[in-house]
Amino acid sequence: MKRIWMYLSAYKKECVFAPLFKMLEALFELFVPLVVSAIIDTGIGNADKGYIVKMSLLLVTLAVIGLTCAITAQYFAAKAAVGCATGMRHHLFKHIQSLSFTEMDTIGTSTLITRMTSDINQVQNGVNLVLRLFLRSPFIVFGAMIMAFTIDVKAALVFAVAIPVLAVIVFGIMLSTRPLYKKVQAGLDKILGITRENLTGVRVVRAFNKQENEIREFKQANEQLNHLQKFVGKISGLMNPLTYVVVNISIIALIWIGAVRVNAGTLTQGQVVALYNYMSQILVELIKLANLIINITKALACAGRIENVFSIKSSMQNGSTTESTDTQAAAVEFKNVSLRYSGAGDESLTDISFTVKKGQIIGVIGGTGSGKSSLVNLIPRFYDVTKGEIYIDGVNVKDYRIEALREKVGIVLQKAQLFKGTIRDNIRWGKKDATDTEIMEALDIAQAREFVEKKDGKLDSFVDQGGKNLSGGQRQRLTIARAVVRKPDILILDDSASALDYATDAALRKSIREMKDAPTLFIVSQRAASLMHAD
C-alpha cells in the first residue's frame, strides 16, 4: 500500500476530486426518494398536475447534475489510476534492469512478465475503483439509513439490523479470498512460463515431435489454475446471493411494517415508497461494494507480489571507479577465482589464476558444461566471483562503476540476440552515436558488409524481433559488428562464430587482429582451428 500511495502522491488533486465528485453524485441521489415521496403524497394525492411537473423537472435536474459529477469523477479517477500504474511500471522495469543475472535467474522471466503486465493492470483497476466507489458506496449505505430514520424511526430499525449483517458477509468473504487470489496469480505465472517456453522453442518441440507432451503439460497446469479460479470464484460468488437474500428479507420486513403503520395513519404511502427506494439503493451499492471488495482483494494480492520484486536487492554492489590510472597494468588478471551459481551444489569454476597482457588473444576451449561461458561472464561482471579477485587494468572489477566497466568490454554472447528495428538501430546498441562510416567499418570487420549491401534497404533493412528474418550466420555477424563498433578495450567472442564457415571465421579473426588499437581478445570456441593463433 505504501508504494501505491507513493505513486499516487503525484496525483493528489485527482485523488481528492474523484471521490469528492462521487460523493456529490451520491448526495443528489439520496434526495431522489424524497422527491418521489413528495410527488406521490402531494402531487398525486391532491391531483396537482403542476406540482407533479415541477417535481419531475427537479428529478431530471438531479439526474443531469449526478451524471455530470459521475463523468467528472471518472475522469479524475482514471487519470490517477493510469498515472499510478505507469509510474509503477517504469520503476519496476528500472529495478529489474538493476538486478544482477543471479537474481534474474532465481526469479524467472515469466514471473517478471506477469508482474509487469497482469499484476500492475490489476492494481490500476483497483485504484480506479477505490477512488470512485470506496467512499461513495458506504456514503450511500449509511446516508440511506440516516434518511430512513428521518422518515420513520421504527421502520428504519430494519436498516440498522440489515447493514451490520451485510458488512459481516462482505468483509468475511474478502478476508477468505485474499490469500486464494495470490495462489491464482502464481498459477498464472506458471502458465505464462510454459507458454513462453513453448513459443520460443517451437522448432525444437516440433523437431522432437513433443507437441502432445507439451499440450498435455499445458492442459494440466491450465486445469489446476481453472480449478483454483473456480474455487475462489465460488466463494466470491456467494457475495451477491447472500446480500440479495438479506436485502430482500429486509424489504419484505420494511413493506410489512410500512403497511401496518400506513394502516394506522403513522406513515404515508409516499414515505413507504421512499423507504423502499432507500433499501433498493443500499442493495445496488452493496453489490457495487462487493465487486469493489473482490477487485481490491485482487489488487492488494498483486501489489504484494510487485512489492516482493521491489524488495529484492541486487547482490552486485556498484563501485565508484570509472577509469584506471595504471597504464602498465595487465589487461585482465584472475587471482584464485572460484564461482558457484546460486542454489548450485558445487562450484562451476575452481581456483583459476591467469594474467593477460593488453592486445593478447586468449583462446578458451573445453567440453560442453566445462565453464567456458562462466569464465568470460565474470569479466564484464555479469556474475560476481564466489572466491578470489578479478582485475581489469589493475583495478578490481568490484571497484568499477558497472557502466564504466561494461563500456570497456564488448561481448558477443552464445545466443545471437537482435532487436526489432533496422540494422542501423541494432548496430547502434554498441555505440548510440555511431556514424554510418563507423557502422560500415564494423560490418567490414564482422564480415557482414556483403550481405547487408545486398539487402534493398541496406542499413535501413528491417530486422524482426530476435532477428527471425536472418540466418544464424547473419545474426552472429551483426552481433559481432554491434560489439566491435564501440572499439572496446576487451572483446569477448563467446562461441559466437559457431554458425560461420571456416573461411569466414578465419577472415573475422584476421580483421579483428588488424584493427587499429586491437582489443584484448577472448575467443571461446569448440573449434581447435579457431584458437590456433591465440597467444
Side-chain angles (χ1 to χ4, degrees):
M1 281 299 292
K2 284 182 182 178
R3 191 168 293 278
I4 294 173
W5 287 122
M6 183 177 80
Y7 294 115
L8 282 175
S9 62
Y11 298 91
K12 290 176 183 174
K13 180 182 72 176
E14 287 78 4
C15 291
V16 172
F17 283 140
L20 179 64
F21 277 98
K22 269 293 176 184
M23 297 274 276
L24 285 172
E25 180 203 358
L27 189 63
F28 289 117
E29 201 171 309
L30 287 173
F31 287 123
V32 170
L34 294 180
V35 177
V36 172
S37 174
I39 290 172
I40 293 169
D41 290 339
T42 306
I44 296 174
N46 299 328
D48 188 344
K49 291 181 180 179
Y51 185 82
I52 293 171
V53 170
K54 184 174 71 173
M55 297 308 281
S56 297
L57 288 172
L58 178 59
L59 281 178
V60 172
T61 304
L62 289 172
V64 170
I65 295 171
L67 177 63
T68 305
C69 291
I71 292 171
T72 307
Q74 178 61 64
Y75 167 76
F76 286 121
K79 186 177 179 182
V82 172
C84 171
T86 301
M88 187 179 289
R89 194 174 279 115
H90 283 169
H91 280 95
L92 183 60
F93 186 77
K94 186 177 180 181
H95 178 72
I96 290 169
Q97 290 293 330
S98 73
L99 298 176
S100 71
F101 280 22
T102 302
E103 284 77 43
M104 298 286 279
D105 294 343
T106 305
I107 301 167
T109 307
S110 59
T111 301
L112 293 174
I113 291 171
T114 309
R115 301 290 198 278
M116 287 282 297
T117 53
S118 173
D119 285 354
I120 289 182
N121 286 342
Q122 287 286 3
V123 170
Q124 178 180 315
N125 290 336
V127 169
N128 194 338
L129 288 170
V130 165
L131 291 175
R132 289 192 295 117
L133 299 177
F134 194 67
L135 290 179
R136 182 191 191 279
S137 293
F139 181 79
I140 288 277
V141 170
F142 290 105
M145 186 174 72
I146 292 165
M147 297 297 278
F149 271 100
T150 63
I151 293 170
D152 185 72
V153 174
K154 286 189 178 179
L157 290 174
V158 175
F159 289 77
V161 174
I163 288 171
V165 173
L166 290 166
V168 169
I169 292 169
V170 168
F171 287 102
I173 289 174
M174 181 190 81
L175 292 172
S176 61
T177 53
R178 186 177 176 183
L180 293 173
Y181 279 119
K182 286 185 179 179
K183 291 183 180 178
V184 168
Q185 289 299 114
L188 192 63
D189 280 352
K190 185 178 179 182
I191 285 181
L192 186 63
I194 294 170
T195 307
R196 181 179 176 277
E197 196 173 54
N198 274 276
L199 292 176
T200 53
V202 65
R203 296 183 185 186
V204 177
V205 172
R206 290 179 181 176
F208 287 91
N209 199 24
K210 291 288 184 180
Q211 293 97 315
E212 292 301 322
N213 289 358
E214 295 302 320
I215 290 169
R216 189 164 52 249
E217 186 183 345
F218 177 81
K219 188 177 179 182
Q220 185 180 354
N222 213 15
E223 283 177 354
Q224 286 175 351
L225 179 61
N226 188 20
H227 290 316
L228 185 59
Q229 283 181 316
K230 280 182 180 177
F231 179 65
V232 69
K234 285 174 184 175
I235 296 174
S236 298
L238 289 171
M239 187 93 73
N240 283 358
L242 288 176
T243 51
Y244 268 111
V245 167
V246 174
V247 170
N248 280 299
I249 290 172
S250 303
I251 287 172
I252 292 167
L254 187 66
I255 291 172
W256 178 62
I257 293 168
V260 172
R261 293 181 70 75
V262 167
N263 195 42
T266 314
L267 273 178
T268 64
Q269 292 171 331
Q271 287 175 324
V272 173
V273 171
L275 288 169
Y276 174 80
N277 281 342
Y278 282 128
M279 186 60 79
S280 298
Q281 282 184 351
I282 288 173
L283 173 61
V284 170
E285 290 307 319
L286 282 170
I287 293 167
K288 288 181 183 177
L289 189 62
N291 290 326
L292 172 64
I293 295 296
I294 291 168
N295 277 286
I296 288 175
T297 304
K298 288 181 182 178
L300 288 174
C302 292
R305 284 156 51 81
I306 293 165
E307 186 58 39
N308 289 341
V309 177
F310 275 116
S311 65
I312 296 169
K313 302 301 179 189
S314 177
S315 58
M316 195 173 286
Q317 299 304 312
N318 208 350
S320 58
T321 304
T322 56
E323 193 58 62
S324 170
T325 55
D326 188 351
T327 55
Q328 302 302 314
V332 180
E333 186 178 2
F334 276 54
K335 288 186 177 180
N336 308 113
V337 168
S338 298
L339 172 67
R340 184 197 301 269
Y341 288 107
S342 177
D346 202 0
E347 290 180 335
S348 298
L349 301 171
T350 304
D351 197 26
I352 294 176
S353 299
F354 62 86
T355 302
V356 179
K357 295 177 182 176
K358 291 176 181 176
Q360 283 191 319
I361 299 173
I362 301 87
V364 184
I365 194 166
T368 302
S370 58
K372 303 185 297 296
S373 294
S374 298
L375 178 76
V376 294
N377 280 340
L378 294 174
I379 297 170
R381 207 184 168 199
F382 289 156
Y383 295 91
D384 269 338
V385 298
T386 313
K387 297 175 188 173
E389 293 171 323
I390 299 173
Y391 292 88
I392 291 181
D393 294 338
V395 178
N396 192 316
V397 291
K398 292 183 179 180
D399 294 332
Y400 275 108
R401 282 189 61 81
I402 290 174
E403 296 83 357
L405 173 64
R406 290 178 187 164
E407 281 293 324
K408 297 171 75 70
V409 181
I411 185 165
V412 186
L413 300 171
Q414 279 178 306
K415 184 180 179 182
Q417 183 68 55
L418 295 171
F419 297 88
K420 188 175 180 180
T422 63
I423 290 175
R424 181 186 282 103
D425 294 336
N426 273 276
I427 302 298
R428 279 182 174 164
W429 273 65
K431 185 182 179 184
K432 64 181 179 182
D433 57 349
T435 63
D436 283 2
T437 304
E438 289 175 312
I439 291 171
M440 294 311 290
E441 185 184 335
L443 291 171
D444 274 332
I445 293 167
Q447 310 302 302
R449 182 169 188 152
E450 182 185 354
F451 84 81
V452 169
E453 289 196 327
K454 284 181 180 177
K455 289 187 172 291
D456 291 338
K458 296 188 167 115
L459 290 178
D460 292 314
S461 298
F462 189 74
V463 178
D464 280 340
Q465 184 181 352
K468 293 290 192 296
N469 60 336
L470 300 171
S471 69
Q474 288 172 340
R475 286 199 296 271
Q476 284 191 339
R477 282 178 280 172
L478 287 181
T479 54
I480 291 167
R482 182 174 62 194
V484 166
V485 75
R486 70 163 59 170
K487 297 182 172 62
D489 297 338
I490 299 166
L491 179 61
I492 300 168
L493 303 181
D494 184 5
D495 206 11
S496 53
S498 56
L500 306 184
D501 58 67
Y502 284 96
T504 306
D505 186 15
L508 168 68
R509 285 182 279 108
K510 182 174 182 290
S511 61
I512 292 173
R513 281 199 306 272
E514 291 173 354
M515 282 174 63
K516 186 182 178 184
D517 300 323
T520 305
L521 179 63
F522 284 79
I523 302 175
V524 177
S525 180
Q526 297 196 31
R527 292 178 182 174
S530 297
L531 310 178
M532 292 291 286
H533 300 287
D535 295 305

